[in-house]
């Protein structure tokens, strides 16, 4: 099945129909999406500010990263599920939306980076002061996640 | 006309308010800044709340988490307050009768009252309990209230557009 067919199938699924039919179903899922966004944003920021050496300098970056990863991954899961529901409302339009394509590309990049080089930076930094690599990792991470958010906001505007 | 409604109408009719409302880009840009700063506010206060509930960062003392996190929370609050006020300026007359807007203002007041009670109460003796993995019940109650009230503010805020 092509990607376009998959998007159309989503738009015509019972989920898609429910989201298209009811204003409040859509609003409710949007609220959940937004709440999870706030939690995700906060956890990304705290970890990356530690890698940058702005906050919690004396504490282990690894411990902070590990503890906040539960917050981050939990909210990410909620965002993906609620995001699919939001997508089903106008999947046909999103398929062609440049903002949506950017968002998904940036999301893939952010998640890949998080599980690979970012994780390594956390492990490597441990309880030490920030170094050049931890700072670069933090800046890349913040830029990617911010990009996901801004592109996401743009879907409704462009 | 009630006084508050009158004030809202003055904001709405002002040159500046009309400019924000009628521009193509200014309103959505302010809105984006508002959402991002709320993320900063809620996401960082949630870390402190979850620490007091004993769910994360247990080896780090509550006071230390608070000292590091609260400046971020306050920055988020400052930016979301200013950006929110600009959005209100543009839409004031429409916001006034909006039930979601009224609910948001009420929840905002309660969300602001909560840290006032917390900081003048149980947090004054934080040195006695800051290293406990699970904070005393008064602190846990404040944490739960904070999570619920700020969630309510976000939900009500999103609902404004639907009325």
């Amino acid at each position: 099945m092509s990607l376009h067919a998959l998007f159309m199938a989503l738009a015509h699924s019972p989920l898609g129909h429910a989201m298209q039919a009811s204003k409040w179903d859509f609003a409710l899922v949007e609220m959940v999406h937004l709440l999870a966004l706030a939690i995700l944003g906060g956890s990304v920021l705290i970890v990356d500010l530690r890698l940058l050496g702005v906050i919690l300098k004396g504490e282990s970056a690894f411990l902070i990263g590990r503890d906040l990863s539960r917050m981050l991954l939990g909210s990410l899961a909620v965002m993906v599920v609620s995001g699919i529901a939001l997508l089903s409302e106008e999947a046909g339009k999103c398929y062609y939306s440049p903002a949506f394509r950017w968002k998904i590309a940036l999301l893939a990049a952010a998640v890949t980076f998080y599980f690979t080089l970012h994780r390594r930076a956390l492990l490597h930094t441990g309880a030490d002061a920030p170094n050049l690599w931890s700072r670069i990792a933090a800046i890349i991470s913040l830029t990617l996640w911010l990009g996901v958010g801004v592109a996401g906001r743009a879907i409704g505007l462009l | 006309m009630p006084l508050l409604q009158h004030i809202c109408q003055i904001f709405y009719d002002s040159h500046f308010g009309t400019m924000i409302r009628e521009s193509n880009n200014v309103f959505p840009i302010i809105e984006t800044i508002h959402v991002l700063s709320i993320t900063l506010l809620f996401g960082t206060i949630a870390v402190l709340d979850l620490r007091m509930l004993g769910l994360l960062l247990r080896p780090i003392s509550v006071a230390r988490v608070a000292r590091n996190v609260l400046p971020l929370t306050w920055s988020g609050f400052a930016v979301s307050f200013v950006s929110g006020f600009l959005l209100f300026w543009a839409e004031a007359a429409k916001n006034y009768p909006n039930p979601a807007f009224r609910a948001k203002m009420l929840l905002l007041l309660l969300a602001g009252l909560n840290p006032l009670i917390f900081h003048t109460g149980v947090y004054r003796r934080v040195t006695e309990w800051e290293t406990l993995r699970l904070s005393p019940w008064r602190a846990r109650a404040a944490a739960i209230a904070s999570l619920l009230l700020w969630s309510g503010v976000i939900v009500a805020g999103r609902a404004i557009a639907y009325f």
Side-chain angles (χ1 to χ4, degrees):
Chain A
M1 200 197 288
S2 76
L3 200 56
H4 184 256
L6 195 71
F7 273 57
M8 295 322 286
L10 181 64
H12 295 292
S13 66
L15 177 69
H17 288 305
M19 296 294 286
Q20 289 144 17
S22 161
K23 181 173 88 168
W24 287 108
D25 282 356
F26 189 81
L28 198 72
V29 179
E30 228 180 3
M31 288 161 184
V32 172
H33 200 64
L34 215 55
L35 280 175
L37 168 76
I39 296 294
L40 180 105
S43 54
V44 166
L45 194 71
I46 301 278
V47 175
D48 286 338
L49 287 180
R50 167 60 184 89
L51 283 177
L52 283 170
V54 178
I55 60 165
L56 295 168
K57 263 173 274 193
E59 310 293 342
S60 158
F62 177 69
L63 170 100
I64 295 169
R66 190 201 58 199
D67 272 22
L68 294 201
S69 71
R70 287 177 229 150
M71 232 176 117
L72 195 154
L73 295 176
S75 55
L76 184 64
V78 174
M79 291 204 80
V80 169
V81 172
S82 57
I84 290 171
L86 293 175
L87 171 66
S88 75
E89 198 245 354
E90 44 178 23
K93 196 178 143 199
C94 283
Y95 180 81
Y96 292 105
S97 156
F100 180 78
R101 291 180 172 194
W102 268 104
K103 177 174 183 174
I104 298 304
L106 286 165
L107 177 64
V111 171
T112 309
F113 186 73
Y114 174 76
F115 280 112
T116 55
L117 296 174
H118 192 262
R119 172 158 293 193
R120 242 164 118 178
L122 285 171
L123 261 167
H124 203 73
T125 308
D128 299 344
N131 52 55
L132 182 65
W133 294 113
S134 74
R135 288 203 173 95
I136 293 175
I139 289 168
I140 295 175
S141 161
L142 284 171
T143 309
L144 288 173
W145 287 113
L146 187 67
V148 178
V150 171
R153 182 68 194 87
I155 295 171
L157 301 172
L158 294 180
Chain B
M1 198 190 280
L3 180 65
L4 276 178
Q5 189 181 7
H6 190 69
I7 294 170
C8 287
Q9 194 66 48
I10 292 172
F11 272 112
Y12 189 82
D13 292 336
S14 69
H15 182 73
F16 187 67
T18 310
M19 192 194 82
I20 301 174
R21 182 169 61 251
E22 291 183 354
S23 75
N24 280 326
N25 300 317
V26 177
F27 198 87
I29 288 172
I30 300 176
E31 214 174 38
T32 306
I33 294 170
H34 194 59
V35 172
L36 284 173
S37 57
I38 289 174
T39 296
L40 179 60
L41 190 172
F42 183 67
T44 57
I45 198 67
V47 171
L48 177 60
D49 293 336
L50 294 173
R51 166 62 186 88
M52 292 198 291
L53 293 171
L55 293 173
L56 44 79
L57 302 178
R58 281 181 293 233
I60 309 176
S61 86
V62 169
R64 191 154 161 66
V65 174
R67 267 199 307 276
N68 281 279
V69 153
L70 288 178
L72 297 168
T73 310
W74 276 110
S75 321
F77 179 77
V79 178
S80 55
F81 186 83
V82 172
S83 55
F85 191 78
L86 292 175
L87 295 173
F88 166 75
W89 199 327
E91 301 260 81
K94 288 184 205 158
N95 288 158
Y96 175 78
N98 189 314
F101 180 79
R102 291 181 173 195
K104 178 173 177 176
M105 291 304 112
L106 186 67
L107 287 163
L108 207 52
L109 191 73
L110 295 174
L113 225 52
N114 182 45
L116 212 64
I117 297 167
F118 174 67
H119 283 277
T120 55
V122 66
Y123 193 74
R124 296 180 75 134
R125 296 185 307 277
V126 69
T127 45
E128 294 166 22
W129 54 267
E130 61 177 344
T131 53
L132 295 180
R133 293 164 78 85
L134 191 64
S135 298
W137 74 268
R138 279 175 199 278
R140 293 202 311 266
I144 291 169
S146 157
L147 290 171
L148 290 177
L149 288 169
W150 284 115
S151 299
V153 170
I154 293 176
V155 166
R158 182 64 274 217
I160 293 174
Y162 287 90
F163 284 97

